[in-house]
Amino acid sequence: MSEEKKLSANEHIKTRSNYLRGTIEEGLADAATGSMSEDDQQLLKFHGTYQQDDRDLRANRRKSKLEKAYSFMIRVRVPGGVATPAQWLETDRLATTFANGTIKLTTRQAFQFHGIIKGNLKRTIKEINQVAMDTIAACGDVNRNVMCNPNPHLSEIHAEVLKLAHDISTHLTPKTRAYHEIWLDGEKIESSEQEVEPIYGKTYLPRKFKITIAVPPSNDVDIYANCLSFIAIVEDGNLVGFNVAVGGGMGSTHGNEATYPRIADVIGFCTPEQVVDVAEKVVLVQRDFGDRTDRKHSRFKYTVDDYGPDWILAKLNEYLGYQLGPARPFVFEDNGDRFGWVDDRNGNSHLTLFIQGGRVLDTPSYPLLTGLREIARIHDGDFRLTANQNLIIANISPAKRPAIEELLAQYGIRDSHLQSALRLNSLACVALPTCGLALAEAERYLPDLLTELEDLIEENGLRHDAITIRMTGCPNGCARPFIAEIAFVGRAPGKYNVYLGGGFAGQRLSKLYRESVRAEEIKALLAPIISRYAKERNEGERLGDFCIRAGYVAATVQGGDFHQNISREAFKTA
């Protein structure tokens, strides 16, 4: 049997696609259906859009013999999470004109639109590009949106790390002309020369690839959960370089012990001038050695596990033609956001707002979408999306601050962050009704669960004690649940696997505590743990650390000066 026959189906789709073109144009023109062909659905991801349907409507539409209520999710790349007021206003316009009237801020500092019908898909993507944003490589087997610490109290080096995030993003953007031809009416160039993808090649990467840049002491981009991360090393106020971390990833599959989340390994140090080159060469290592036969084993974390971090470092050095330096000391203190007002040394102000589930919308009691629209109309700074689905109105000039404060008060946004510390440190993926992989609710349910748990928190005097808590509708882990102190991972409608013991700074995997817990049983399950924590914790002890010390879950494997990877066995129930 030839090696070609052993490749996964997606590899053949990419090979046949003519550099991601497929039959997308023909599918968009077919008005007889709201869907696209199965092959084109895979290719559309590279262009930044997923076909979905409203699962709440499936049963009734099936009874009426109608096709599913198909629509498309569009993800907009925002390298480093920084957008101009003009871009925010355009995002708002597109959300209210073509999508479901909401803007979703993702856990990867991107914008998402939901509910776009096929007939509006091309126009929406074209108009996104008209404000210097794009959707190419926001999804698919390529490098995704590059994340970067946006925190305003670290702004003295923010410009440097943000530029590197943009440089990495630009360098690793696919070079195929398909995106411009299909969405932007670009000219189809007839040439005898074969098209070339200089970095990715004809079949791109085995799976998606995620890159982050963090600035200690904040690990708000969760470097241990990503394929490749750069950890800024600052000495005497100057950015001297970055530690390089490889092989993190969250996704797993229920019942398949060959799949598991993994914490990244810190393998070396590079200078700022080397960052883009290192990013390219790590991508090339994954391109050349990642598993293309089993998509459940094709993420870079498995490549690192299969070959070992030392082998990865040696191969990376070989591809670079020079050696990474030894990793330098660093300390992470948390992976949350710093809410409220912060003034910087340049005289500007920054306000971090809490956005529940990252969903920007208007409700009768909270016109958040409208309020932010009015602020964007007068704001002369920028907006920064955080990796925790929150929003920073950044670089507010002294001249504009009074007017912005008036709008914040007028629309009820001023006190968005006056929540329990538990709620402020929560994350949820979209899940139902639009995600086809979701097994249970997440974004729609977590706020209600938090309200229940806040009763426990208040009773035990923990309102102001930060605890990371995350919920996903399935084990693919888009809200990075497996590094939270408390996590709920959808198992079936209304049932969740409960995990405990993750690191407060995102540096340690949690452990499975209980399987298939019914939603209505979660509060009672956690009540004695929270009560004991309040009474028995040591000074400064975090809940995740306490859960291990108190024996609720077993300790995970760590060693050396940096947090090391947990074994796949340690991910199982204690």
Side-chain angles (χ1 to χ4, degrees), residues 489-508:
V489 177
R491 188 69 191 247
K495 292 184 178 181
Y496 299 86
N497 284 358
V498 179
Y499 292 81
L500 298 174
F504 182 72
Q507 81 282 12
R508 181 181 61 236

Side-chain angles (χ1 to χ4, degrees), residues 194-434:
Q194 186 173 356
E195 192 166 6
V196 174
E197 279 281 11
I199 294 175
Y200 293 112
K202 194 171 185 177
T203 52
Y204 297 84
L205 295 180
R207 282 294 294 274
K208 59 188 174 183
F209 198 89
K210 299 179 177 181
I211 298 177
T212 67
I213 304 176
V215 183
S218 176
N219 185 26
D220 54 358
V221 294
D222 277 332
I223 67 105
Y224 294 106
N226 285 273
C227 302
L228 169 63
S229 293
F230 296 95
I231 305 161
I233 303 299
V234 179
E235 297 176 359
D236 299 323
N238 297 313
L239 178 65
V240 297
F242 297 86
N243 283 348
V244 180
V246 299
M250 288 287 96
S252 64
T253 301
H254 289 313
N256 184 350
E257 293 184 355
T259 66
Y260 47 89
R262 186 184 193 280
I263 294 294
D265 294 281
V266 179
I267 61 170
F269 173 88
C270 70
T271 67
E273 295 75 24
Q274 294 169 333
V275 163
V276 174
D277 190 26
V278 170
E280 176 193 305
K281 297 308 189 293
V282 173
V283 165
L284 294 184
V285 171
Q286 169 64 350
R287 181 198 68 185
D288 296 343
F289 295 95
D291 187 350
R292 294 181 181 270
T293 64
D294 178 2
R295 282 184 68 81
K296 290 187 180 296
H297 186 257
S298 57
R299 289 291 303 278
F300 187 46
K301 63 180 178 179
Y302 298 119
T303 310
V304 175
D305 247 6
D306 290 345
Y307 289 92
D310 291 341
W311 184 94
I312 295 291
L313 175 59
K315 184 58 65 173
L316 174 59
N317 287 337
E318 176 188 325
Y319 278 33
L320 289 168
Y322 53 85
Q323 305 283 312
L324 290 186
R328 302 192 184 186
F330 65 95
V331 174
F332 284 131
E333 296 176 355
D334 61 67
N335 63 353
D337 292 331
R338 181 172 175 173
F339 293 96
W341 287 98
V342 175
D343 296 326
D344 65 28
R345 63 188 60 183
N346 299 316
N348 290 331
S349 302
H350 312 265
L351 176 64
T352 303
L353 304 174
F354 171 69
I355 311 291
Q356 181 79 63
R359 185 69 66 175
V360 180
L361 77 165
D362 282 346
T363 66
S365 61
Y366 191 37
L368 177 62
L369 183 69
T370 298
L372 290 173
R373 180 188 309 138
E374 295 306 313
I375 289 170
R377 284 175 174 159
I378 66 169
H379 184 33
D380 55 8
D382 54 61
F383 291 91
R384 301 181 190 177
L385 287 61
T386 82
N388 291 301
Q389 300 178 306
N390 298 311
L391 181 67
I392 303 172
I393 306 174
N395 289 308
I396 301 171
S397 66
K400 295 290 186 180
R401 178 163 173 168
I404 287 177
E405 287 192 293
E406 284 186 20
L407 290 170
L408 290 167
Q410 178 182 343
Y411 290 96
I413 304 171
R414 179 182 59 194
D415 298 331
S416 70
H417 62 287
L418 298 185
Q419 313 280 344
S420 70
L422 183 72
R423 193 175 294 265
L424 292 177
N425 285 273
S426 64
L427 279 183
C429 71
V430 174
L432 297 169
T434 54

Side-chain angles (χ1 to χ4, degrees), residues 7 15 17 40 91 94 96 106 110 193 244 250 255 259 377 389 397 401 424 512 518:
L7 295 174
T15 300
S17 74
D40 286 340
T91 301
L94 294 172
T96 53
T106 79
E193 294 184 13
V244 180
M250 288 287 96
T259 66
R377 284 175 174 159
Q389 300 178 306
S397 66
R401 178 163 173 168
L424 292 177
L512 179 61
R518 298 181 64 84

Side-chain angles (χ1 to χ4, degrees), residues 13-69:
I13 292 172
K14 288 181 282 187
T15 300
R16 295 192 300 265
S17 74
N18 185 21
Y19 292 98
L20 308 182
R21 290 172 176 83
T23 56
I24 292 174
E25 284 196 296
E26 294 85 341
L28 291 172
D30 183 2
T33 175
S35 69
M36 300 284 282
S37 72
E38 290 187 12
D39 281 10
D40 286 340
Q41 287 178 45
Q42 295 301 317
L43 297 176
L44 280 170
K45 295 176 184 179
F46 292 82
H47 298 264
T49 181
Y50 280 74
Q51 179 176 302
Q52 301 178 329
D53 74 282
D54 189 330
R55 293 170 63 180
D56 289 347
L57 303 178
R58 279 185 183 178
N60 285 337
R61 292 184 70 84
R62 190 182 304 116
K63 288 178 184 177
S64 302
K65 297 183 179 180
L66 298 171
E67 74 172 7
K68 295 175 182 177

